[in-house]
Amino acid sequence: MAGEPNGGQDLDRLAATVERLRREAERTRRAADDRALLELAKGILVERLRCGPVQAAEQLATLAAKAGVTRLEIAADVVNEVARDRVGEAGEAAPEVSVRLRVAESAVLGARDTQTVAAALLEHALAPLGATAVAVWAAEPGGALALAGYAGFATEEARRWRHMPPGVVTPAGRALTERRTIWHADAGLPAIGRHVAGGRVTVPMLSGGRVQGVLEICWPHTLPPHPPRIERQVEALAELCAHTLDAPFAPLAPAAAGLTELVDLADALPDPALVLQAHLDARGELADFRVRHVNARITAGDGLLLEAYPLVSGALLLEAYPRAAGGMFAQLEQVHATGESFRAERMALGLSTTGVADVSITRHGDSVLLVWREHDEDGRLAGLLEHAQRLGRIGGFEENTVTGQITWNAQLYSLYGLSPGDQPVPLERLRDHAHPDDEIAIGRFLRTVLHHRRFAATAFRLTRRDGVARHMRVVAEPVFGPDGRLMAVRGAYQDISSQHWTEVALAVTRDQLAHTEQESAARSRLALQLQQAIMPPSHGTMESFGLHIAVRYRPAQKEHLVGGDWYDAVALPSRRVLLSVGDVAGHGVEAATGMVILRNALRGLATTGAGPAQLMAWLNMVAHHLTDRMTATAVCALYDPPTRMLRWARAGHLPPILLREGDGAELPMVKGPLLGAFTDARYEEGRLQLRAEDTLLMYTDGLIERRDHNLRHAQDRLLAIARRAASTLDHRLDDLLTHCNSDTDDDTCLIGVHLS
């Protein structure tokens, strides 16, 4: 007990010592916070005033003396003002956001390298938001990305992603190319840490209108809807990182990319060239480009409208040439921001005298080099001549699909027997100047060039208006702009009359084909001749009882695929009009023979006065009993002129199409099985009251069949083409044959009926 007083004194002294140490630690912590706040305020002034640290400290002292407060209070005001600028309402609604930003900014500004920057961001600003990893990407020339710093990822994972080449679609690459903040779900894109499911955000780090890099933040879970204050906080952190990357990690320009060397490079080019530098507004965003140099081609008066807008060094591009505010300025902005070069042919360019030029834009350090080559009238004519010579070739042409202008050279006028003052013949109207027997080949040629937009060639017989006939060969190819749009169709005509007759003479002396080939060719010819003997003219028209009827038949391109498609349009003794199309299954002589039987049988049965449903039932019996188990599809219609009533039935065939008042639709799908499939098949009958100016289309499936699409898709495509405006019924049918993109090489029958 005697030792208790001393023991109590020891405890008191120990408690006092602990309390003193706690107060000293608290003072040390506050002093450290005060120093960090002062350093943060100085860093902000260095950034905003573009001054050194000593001048920033003097500025703080001056402001404190004028306001009659301490330097610490002034520093707090400066930091709070910046926090309000960067997170807006978030600073007022959530004070912890401002505190977190201040702490993070202090840590980032004090970091030695970008790796430390990433660690500081994750620790002080992102971990409280639930993020588990961060990557800081530095932009490199050409649109590539380099991993400058990371935190939260394994070292081996970061090593695999140290460089991301241009063109690879990743979350960070998208933010660089699109220059916007993107919140990603787990969409399956390749990315650093991709094996960890969750959400991520990629933010471009902009500085002075250039993307210095991309800040990528990852969460271990799917991101819920985020409030605007979180978006503003993330963007503020990206802006902070942009300043840390600006000096040490910005893509270094080669020695030849300095302004002096770049000026020398521009002067050495044979084409007009401008050296441009970004002009920023008060907020530090790109507003225009200032011209730093114009090369000798421009100062000499080539390629620029100097009389209207003199462009000199120091001028702003948009002030001198407002027309550049279109697509060209957007491309300049993209190249300046990302460093990815841009090149295009036949691009609209406001700086050009002709408005069209080949353009090249590249970034060199902080500067952008714009080079273009004119597409003037002489150049276009020289290109036409070179193109015609490359194809061998006598007469060249170009049809501008944007303006509709057609350009012919003098030789082509001579080939057509026209004078240079006459109107050129559009490629689409080539049928009107060709021999009727060549219409099928010309139709395939036009469909390949104008619809499929591919190179094509064909031979045909040109019928000139002076009565002279020539054997011609025409070749054509589409020309596309940088956006993939069809700009023009170019090609050439060649007179091959002498070559044709030489080939005819040589063909007479050729050896006969082998026996098997002769037999096969004979069967194909027999089928084709049988088909042609029974079918009416494929380009004929008929006027009957107020109806204008036009028909088209397109045989299979390969003779051995000659099939059993048929069509018929005939006025009956009952003063009704019979319209029918059908398709016998199979190819060759058997199919052609079956077509003859069914078509003639239907004509004979129609004279009885029976309706379409009854005619289909009788025709089914013919197919089932009087042939060798033949199957076929067909559609049959009877038109009564006094009442304008159309009655129709179908046997497994596609329904007709009615075009009325600018719209088009298929007739109702009345029931009816294939011909020859069942002994006692029953067929429904449909009725349609026609009106003046109605158009009815009946066709076989060879018009629309494709191997890569189902039949419904092909029918919808046919309806879209049929709804197009057409000057005449014949032009409408020609348009359908040209643009309906079937690829099965089957026979095609098409009937068009227009009610006057």
Side-chain angles (χ1 to χ4, degrees), residues 126-429:
L126 299 175
L129 298 178
T132 56
V134 62
V136 181
W137 302 93
E140 294 185 336
L145 289 171
L147 186 61
Y150 65 93
F153 297 111
T155 303
E156 184 61 30
E157 175 75 4
R159 186 178 295 112
R160 287 198 300 267
W161 286 89
R162 63 184 181 275
H163 178 75
M164 190 187 306
V168 179
V169 181
T170 64
R174 282 190 58 194
L176 174 68
T177 303
E178 301 177 21
R179 292 182 290 156
R180 64 182 180 92
T181 300
I182 304 177
W183 294 81
H184 303 267
D186 187 13
L189 292 177
I192 185 172
R194 174 67 182 83
H195 59 278
V196 180
R200 66 183 66 214
V201 61
T202 51
V203 192
M205 299 186 293
L206 294 167
S207 176
R210 292 173 57 185
V211 181
Q212 302 293 343
V214 176
L215 177 64
E216 185 169 0
I217 307 168
C218 301
W219 280 265
H221 50 75
T222 302
L223 293 177
H226 40 274
R229 66 182 180 84
I230 298 298
E231 294 187 14
R232 288 191 288 270
Q233 182 178 1
V234 168
E235 291 172 358
L237 293 173
E239 181 184 350
L240 180 63
C241 285
H243 292 292
T244 66
L245 282 178
D246 194 12
F249 290 100
L252 297 177
L259 184 58
T260 303
E261 291 80 2
L262 188 56
V263 167
D264 294 339
L265 173 62
D267 284 336
L269 294 174
D271 299 311
L274 296 177
V275 178
L276 307 171
Q277 282 189 331
H279 176 71
L280 308 180
D281 58 17
R283 296 177 297 177
E285 297 179 357
L286 180 67
D288 202 343
F289 285 93
R290 189 171 297 280
V291 179
R292 288 305 181 192
H293 181 70
V294 293
N295 74 348
R297 288 298 302 273
I298 296 177
T299 56
D302 293 342
L304 213 60
L305 300 176
L306 293 174
E307 297 81 2
Y309 300 106
L311 193 58
V312 297
S313 296
L316 291 176
L317 184 64
L318 292 183
E319 289 183 2
Y321 281 89
R323 290 182 297 172
M328 190 198 71
F329 188 85
Q331 295 299 340
L332 284 169
E333 185 180 20
Q334 179 75 7
V335 172
H336 173 262
T338 65
E340 186 175 359
S341 302
F342 172 80
R343 289 177 178 81
E345 295 182 358
R346 301 181 65 89
M347 177 181 175
L349 185 66
L351 298 171
S352 166
T353 55
T354 62
V356 179
D358 296 339
V359 178
S360 171
I361 307 175
T362 53
R363 191 179 77 184
H364 304 263
D366 292 334
S367 303
V368 175
L369 179 63
L370 169 62
V371 185
W372 67 92
R373 178 168 294 175
E374 293 286 343
H375 271 270
D376 55 12
E377 187 67 23
D378 293 338
R380 282 199 299 271
L381 292 177
L384 276 177
L385 179 59
E386 180 182 355
H387 189 68
Q389 290 173 345
R390 181 174 64 87
L391 295 173
R393 327 169 189 162
I394 304 298
F397 68 90
E398 180 181 87
E399 293 187 12
N400 190 317
T401 58
V402 178
T403 63
Q405 181 182 3
I406 302 175
T407 304
W408 279 14
N409 63 5
Q411 293 91 332
L412 189 52
Y413 281 101
S414 176
L415 283 177
Y416 264 83
L418 303 175
S419 60
D422 292 333
Q423 187 71 20
V425 178
L427 194 64
E428 197 164 14
R429 298 272 72 88

Side-chain angles (χ1 to χ4, degrees), residues 333-625:
E333 185 180 20
Q334 179 75 7
V335 172
H336 173 262
T338 65
E340 186 175 359
S341 302
F342 172 80
R343 289 177 178 81
E345 295 182 358
R346 301 181 65 89
M347 177 181 175
L349 185 66
L351 298 171
S352 166
T353 55
T354 62
V356 179
D358 296 339
V359 178
S360 171
I361 307 175
T362 53
R363 191 179 77 184
H364 304 263
D366 292 334
S367 303
V368 175
L369 179 63
L370 169 62
V371 185
W372 67 92
R373 178 168 294 175
E374 293 286 343
H375 271 270
D376 55 12
E377 187 67 23
D378 293 338
R380 282 199 299 271
L381 292 177
L384 276 177
L385 179 59
E386 180 182 355
H387 189 68
Q389 290 173 345
R390 181 174 64 87
L391 295 173
R393 327 169 189 162
I394 304 298
F397 68 90
E398 180 181 87
E399 293 187 12
N400 190 317
T401 58
V402 178
T403 63
Q405 181 182 3
I406 302 175
T407 304
W408 279 14
N409 63 5
Q411 293 91 332
L412 189 52
Y413 281 101
S414 176
L415 283 177
Y416 264 83
L418 303 175
S419 60
D422 292 333
Q423 187 71 20
V425 178
L427 194 64
E428 197 164 14
R429 298 272 72 88
L430 185 59
R431 290 188 184 91
D432 300 339
H433 299 265
H435 192 280
D437 292 345
D438 297 326
E439 289 180 358
I440 294 174
I442 291 176
R444 293 195 186 101
F445 166 78
L446 293 178
R447 185 168 57 165
T448 301
V449 175
L450 302 181
H451 178 72
H452 295 297
R453 297 180 178 180
R454 298 197 304 263
F455 171 88
T458 191
F460 69 101
R461 283 162 288 182
L462 175 67
T463 303
R464 307 196 326 181
R465 64 183 183 183
D466 58 4
V468 176
R470 291 180 179 272
H471 288 267
M472 303 291 294
R473 176 177 171 82
V474 58
V475 292
E477 64 180 4
V479 180
F480 301 96
D483 57 353
R485 186 176 63 162
L486 180 65
M487 302 293 293
V489 175
R490 297 187 304 194
Y493 290 83
Q494 180 184 11
D495 187 348
I496 58 171
S497 299
S498 58
Q499 177 184 348
H500 169 77
W501 293 118
T502 301
E503 291 176 353
V504 170
L506 291 174
V508 176
T509 64
R510 288 176 183 164
D511 295 336
Q512 292 186 342
L513 297 174
H515 177 70
T516 55
E517 293 178 344
Q518 285 181 331
E519 184 179 17
S520 175
R523 289 178 60 86
S524 297
R525 285 195 300 271
L526 176 60
L528 184 60
Q529 291 169 357
L530 183 62
Q531 191 179 54
Q532 293 175 343
I534 197 64
M535 297 285 279
S538 65
H539 206 70
T541 58
M542 183 177 90
E543 298 285 347
S544 180
F545 302 109
L547 295 180
H548 178 69
I549 304 173
V551 295
R552 294 292 187 274
Y553 172 68
R554 182 177 65 198
Q557 188 171 358
K558 299 178 181 178
E559 290 187 355
H560 68 276
L561 293 180
V562 171
D565 289 24
W566 90 82
Y567 62 89
D568 203 2
V570 62
L572 300 174
S574 62
R575 299 184 63 81
R576 296 176 181 174
V577 179
L578 171 67
L579 303 169
S580 67
V581 293
D583 185 2
V584 176
H587 297 89
V589 175
E590 293 79 6
T593 304
M595 175 269 292
V596 172
I597 294 174
L598 293 183
R599 181 175 176 275
N600 288 343
L602 182 58
R603 270 200 175 190
L605 293 170
T607 60
T608 63
Q614 182 61 60
L615 293 177
M616 288 290 99
W618 288 340
L619 199 61
N620 177 67
M621 295 177 62
V622 172
H624 192 79
H625 296 290

